[in-house]
């Protein structure tokens, strides 16, 4: 039995978790800063770092306490090394180093997106491999082939905005608050998603890449053309705004599902994984489940607490890294642009 403490501070969640053998969550604590950044319509990096530094020790302490284990029981300390906001990552990396040093434990660096993929294994156990994993979050939109657990081959990614970022920017533009994804998801329910037509970028050089900035700009142009003012009362959103966000959401989901299906046709996986914060989107869940049925493949979508940023997925990925001999040392740095696959 190997217990791994995972630490995650890449963006605006301070999180720590203890996971056994990469499969059983003993504790998972997430302290969200959403309320801190909401007035700005997006994450303010300096505020994020300052809140991480205040929250990191109490969050780790409660994750340890909830797990019923002590630091000496740990097999390793895993931490998100990147990608993310450098000032945020540094807080988690430094905390992990301190614990590893004091308790003489191995330090395992984890790629944040590998953590998102690992969430599927944590939630659903051993999956039929190779799998095709679509990671859709506020910072990432990437498609990977996963030949074995912990191994990622990048097939495509966004060339500009991440899908979640597009949701957040469109919501900000319309005065719908931050984070924008959940608000748009809710408002789109029952609205007319054919009201506004958006062209979905087709990338012609053979890669399964994505692009969302065109759809976002099209929303901006539509708002200007129609003279739509920002929503004054988020509990009373006019029908034309609801139709607009429903149409926007439909376009984003169509692009994502198209990429997933194309990836599956080209690479013949035995299962599909949908993960990352945007995997909470009800239309995306519905449409990717439908696509999986059409392809005759099982699809694994972790529960909400594991698809949005959390440290259990980092601990689970850390366990895989530990077994593979991945180690960080005390000179390990945060890597804001760390590549994967
Ligand atoms: O994975 P995550 O918690 O953090 C990152 O690593 O970025 O993802 C956060 C993103 C935000 O952009 C948020 O707007 C989006 O996930 N999101 C959603 C929904 N819930 C969260 N997007 C669309 N529909 C949702 N229901
Ligand atoms: Zn994330």
């Amino acid at each position: 039995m190997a217990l791994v403490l995972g630490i995650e501070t890449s963006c605006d969640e301070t999180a720590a978790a203890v996971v056994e053998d990469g499969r059983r969550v003993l504790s998972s604590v997430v302290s969200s800063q959403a309320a801190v950044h909401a007035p700005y319509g997006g994450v303010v990096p300096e505020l994020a770092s300052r809140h991480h530094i205040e929250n990191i020790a109490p969050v780790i302490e409660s994750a340890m306490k909830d797990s019923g284990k002590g630091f000496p029981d740990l097999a390793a300390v895993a931490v998100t090394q990147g990608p993310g906001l450098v000032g945020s990552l540094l807080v988690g990396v430094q905390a992990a180093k301190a614990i590893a040093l004091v308790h003489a434990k191995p330090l395992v660096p984890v790629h944040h997106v590998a953590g998102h993929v690992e969430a599927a294994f944590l939630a659903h156990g051993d999956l039929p491999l190779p799998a095709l994993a679509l990671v859709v979050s506020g910072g990432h939109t990437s498609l990977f082939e996963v030949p074995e657990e912990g191994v990622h081959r990048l097939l495509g990614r966004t060339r500009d905005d991440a899908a979640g970022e597009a949701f957040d920017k469109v919501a900000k533009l319309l005065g719908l608050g931050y984070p924008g994804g959940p608000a748009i998801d809710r408002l789109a329910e029952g609205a007319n998603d054919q009201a506004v037509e958006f062209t979905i970028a087709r990338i012609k050089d053979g890669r399964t890449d994505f692009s969302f900035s065109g759809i976002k700009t099209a929303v901006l142009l539509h708002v200007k053309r129609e003279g739509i003012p920002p929503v004054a009362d988020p509990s009373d959103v006019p029908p034309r705004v609801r139709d607009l966000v429903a149409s926007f959401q439909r376009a984003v989901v169509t692009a994502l599902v198209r990429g997933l299906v194309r990836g599956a046709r080209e690479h013949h996986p035995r299962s599909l994984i949908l993960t990352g914060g945007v995997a909470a989107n009800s239309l995306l869940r519905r449409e990717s489940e439908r696509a999986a049925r059409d392809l005759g493949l099982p699809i694994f979508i972790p529960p909400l607490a594991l698809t949005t940023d959390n440290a259990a997925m980092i601990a689970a990925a850390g366990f895989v890294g530990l077994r593979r001999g991945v180690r960080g040392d005390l000179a390990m740095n945060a890597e804001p642009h760390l590549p994967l696959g």
Side-chain angles (χ1 to χ4, degrees):
M1 185 189 76
L3 296 177
V4 177
L5 168 66
I7 297 174
E8 155 64 39
T9 61
S10 66
C11 189
D12 62 341
E13 264 94 25
T14 318
V18 178
V19 172
E20 186 183 303
D21 296 335
R23 289 290 188 267
R24 197 163 81 85
V25 182
L26 301 193
S27 66
S28 181
V29 178
V30 181
S31 166
S32 170
Q33 303 177 8
V36 172
H37 303 287
Y40 307 96
V43 177
V44 183
E46 186 180 325
L47 287 180
S49 317
R50 288 174 175 278
H51 280 81
H52 284 307
I53 207 85
E54 285 173 6
N55 294 337
I56 189 75
V59 164
I60 293 172
E61 212 177 330
S62 45
M64 290 307 299
K65 190 159 170 270
D66 291 357
S67 75
K69 306 286 180 185
F71 289 113
D73 301 323
L74 298 175
V77 182
V79 63
T80 303
Q81 183 185 21
L85 301 170
V86 69
S88 293
L89 291 164
L90 285 170
V91 176
V93 167
Q94 195 53 27
K97 280 187 193 177
I99 296 168
L101 175 66
V102 171
H103 298 280
K105 301 292 178 186
L107 180 65
V108 183
V110 170
H111 190 288
H112 180 77
V113 175
H116 274 301
V117 174
E118 189 58 30
F121 292 85
L122 177 56
H124 304 286
D126 295 340
L127 316 176
L129 297 174
L132 185 71
L134 178 60
V135 183
V136 213
S137 74
H140 314 274
T141 303
S142 306
L143 189 67
F144 296 96
E145 186 176 37
V146 183
E148 54 185 294
E149 191 174 350
V151 179
H152 311 83
R153 201 161 74 78
L154 183 66
L155 301 177
R157 66 169 148 205
T158 182
R159 300 208 167 174
D160 38 62
D161 292 347
E165 189 180 355
F167 271 95
D168 294 337
K169 286 180 177 169
V170 163
K172 182 176 181 180
L173 172 74
L174 294 168
L176 301 174
Y178 172 84
I184 290 178
D185 194 350
R186 209 169 40 245
L187 290 168
E189 201 62 52
N192 176 10
D193 65 9
Q194 310 289 323
V196 185
E197 202 178 319
F198 293 109
T199 337
I200 296 165
R202 281 194 186 273
I203 289 163
K204 296 205 176 71
D205 63 4
R207 288 188 50 152
T208 315
D209 277 354
F210 302 95
S211 166
F212 297 103
S213 76
I215 306 176
K216 179 195 66 188
T217 307
V219 173
L220 177 65
L221 293 176
H222 180 87
V223 164
K224 282 198 172 145
R225 203 167 46 238
E226 301 285 315
I228 298 174
V231 169
D233 175 5
S235 65
D236 182 23
V237 177
R240 66 173 173 165
V241 173
R242 296 188 51 200
D243 290 349
L244 173 60
V245 298
S247 306
F248 160 78
Q249 174 177 272
R250 169 63 69 182
V252 171
V253 168
T254 301
L256 290 170
V257 173
R258 199 176 275 173
L260 188 67
V261 170
R262 183 173 161 187
R265 295 226 167 98
E266 286 175 7
H267 299 277
H268 312 291
R270 293 180 57 223
S271 65
L272 303 175
I273 294 171
L274 175 66
T275 184
V278 184
N281 186 267
S282 43
L283 184 67
L284 179 58
R285 292 177 91 97
R286 239 176 8 247
E287 291 299 318
S288 41
E289 276 162 359
R290 188 214 303 255
R293 260 195 316 275
D294 291 349
L295 290 162
L297 290 172
I299 183 163
F300 299 95
I301 311 176
L304 200 57
L306 292 177
T307 53
T308 54
D309 283 352
N310 67 88
M313 67 186 194
I314 302 303
F319 173 72
V320 177
L322 181 70
R323 275 191 319 192
R324 291 180 164 269
V326 178
R327 296 290 183 274
D329 59 22
L330 293 178
M332 184 176 118
N333 211 336
E335 297 292 347
H337 303 292
L338 190 65
L340 180 68

